[in-house]
Amino acid sequence: MLGSLRMQLVTFAFHNLSPMNIREAKFLMSNTRVEQCPAPTLPEYAFIGRSNVGKSSLINMLTGHKGLAKTSSLPGKTQLINHFLINNEWYLVDLPGYGYARVSKDARVKWGRMINYYLRQRENLTCVFVLIDSRHEPQAVDLEFMEMLGSEGIPFVMIFTKADKLSGTRTQQNVADYLRKMQETWDELPRHFVTSAEEKTGREEVIEFIAEVNRQLAEEGSDA
Ligand code: GTP
Ligand code: MG
């Protein structure tokens, strides 16, 4: 019985990785509804995780544009679905955080609905980056969120953030503990990255991952 409860992952196969330059990153629009989002004609990568985990900071670090996504030390800064166009080739999306207790219940319910609807309806959504604070023990709200992605068949990878806040050894230990916890539920572990927006750690790995997925999509498209 337990076996049937274990989660299946939607994974990406890899060949060789080569770097991608972010030549251009521009803010397009903020929305509350999928219907108003840009036409779903390009691959889309969405950044999600608890409020204050560092989604907007990571987007700025990856794109090399400091003020592109709005950041704040106060949780609840990002409140809408924000689309950015990268190299005229793919969309990057900054989403509000989930599970933050000090945000009013009404706002939490509203954002939760907005995020869930977006995740289920956005047809060009290619991969979700689930951000996890590398300092903390596994939290139920994150584990449940990833299980929801698994049961909806939405591909995701994990990004452990704020790696500069602890020693390298402590961060690695926390990541290993987290993955061990995930093994209780998942047949296969998702791919994961360790990042620091502060020290620009993990930038190349994440960008190369996106480049490789984009390449695969383009190949599949040209085969069709
Ligand atoms: P919401 O939009 O409120 O959901 O938050 P968010 O996940 O977008 O977080 P944001 O990027 O606004 O960062 C929250 C706080 O964490 C800010 O004070 C950032 O400066 C800080 N922060 C984010 N990433 C890092 C990091 O890698 N290292 C350190 N030291 N601080 C970080
Ligand atoms: Mg934000």
Side-chain angles (χ1 to χ4, degrees):
M1 189 56 206
L2 198 67
S4 64
L5 289 173
R6 290 176 68 87
M7 302 299 294
Q8 295 290 332
L9 208 61
V10 183
T11 47
F12 303 93
F14 277 91
H15 328 296
N16 52 331
L17 298 176
S18 61
M20 164 174 66
N21 288 330
I22 306 258
R23 298 184 306 276
E24 193 184 23
K26 58 182 179 200
F27 169 71
L28 288 184
M29 57 171 87
S30 300
N31 282 303
T32 56
R33 295 186 62 80
V34 171
E35 291 77 8
Q36 295 156 348
C37 288
T41 48
L42 297 173
E44 183 154 312
Y45 299 84
F47 288 68
I48 193 154
R50 287 199 298 152
S51 280
N52 214 43
V53 70
K55 300 174 291 294
S56 303
S57 304
L58 183 67
I59 288 171
N60 292 339
M61 184 273 265
L62 293 174
T63 57
H65 288 239
K66 237 181 169 182
L68 190 67
K70 299 217 170 60
T71 65
S72 168
S73 57
L74 298 174
K77 179 69 181 173
T78 309
Q79 307 200 356
L80 297 164
I81 303 168
N82 298 290
H83 273 80
F84 302 89
L85 177 62
I86 313 297
N87 293 352
N88 272 320
E89 286 167 357
W90 51 280
Y91 294 126
L92 190 159
V93 174
D94 190 14
L95 293 168
Y98 54 73
Y100 190 72
R102 263 182 270 170
V103 172
S104 76
K105 188 160 180 245
D106 280 359
R108 256 183 298 157
V109 169
K110 199 170 78 184
W111 296 355
R113 280 205 197 111
M114 178 170 86
I115 292 168
N116 282 336
Y117 188 70
Y118 163 82
L119 293 172
R120 289 184 172 92
Q121 300 297 322
R122 185 67 172 160
E123 59 196 272
N124 59 326
L125 182 61
T126 305
C127 181
V128 175
F129 290 95
V130 179
L131 274 62
I132 308 277
D133 191 319
S134 61
R135 292 170 298 175
H136 302 154
E137 288 185 355
Q139 310 278 315
V141 69
D142 293 317
L143 296 169
E144 285 162 12
F145 181 76
M146 289 186 277
E147 282 165 27
M148 183 279 285
L149 292 177
S151 58
E152 292 285 327
I154 300 170
F156 72 94
V157 299
M158 297 168 77
I159 295 194
F160 292 94
T161 63
K162 307 193 184 184
D164 59 286
K165 294 257 196 185
L166 298 174
S167 74
T169 319
R170 267 309 297 282
T171 302
Q172 287 309 327
Q173 246 167 25
N174 284 0
V175 169
D177 288 348
Y178 205 107
L179 296 177
R180 211 167 297 124
K181 175 80 184 164
M182 297 267 303
Q183 267 169 339
E184 293 172 12
T185 322
W186 292 84
D187 280 333
E188 195 188 340
L189 288 178
R191 204 185 154 97
H192 73 276
F193 300 95
V194 179
T195 64
S196 159
E198 201 69 26
E199 295 180 346
K200 300 191 170 35
T201 317
R203 181 173 186 272
E204 273 184 28
E205 289 84 350
V206 175
I207 289 178
E208 286 177 12
F209 168 80
I210 294 171
E212 177 59 20
V213 176
N214 283 344
R215 239 185 324 264
Q216 282 179 24
L217 286 175
E219 274 172 28
E220 283 166 24
S222 63
D223 288 347

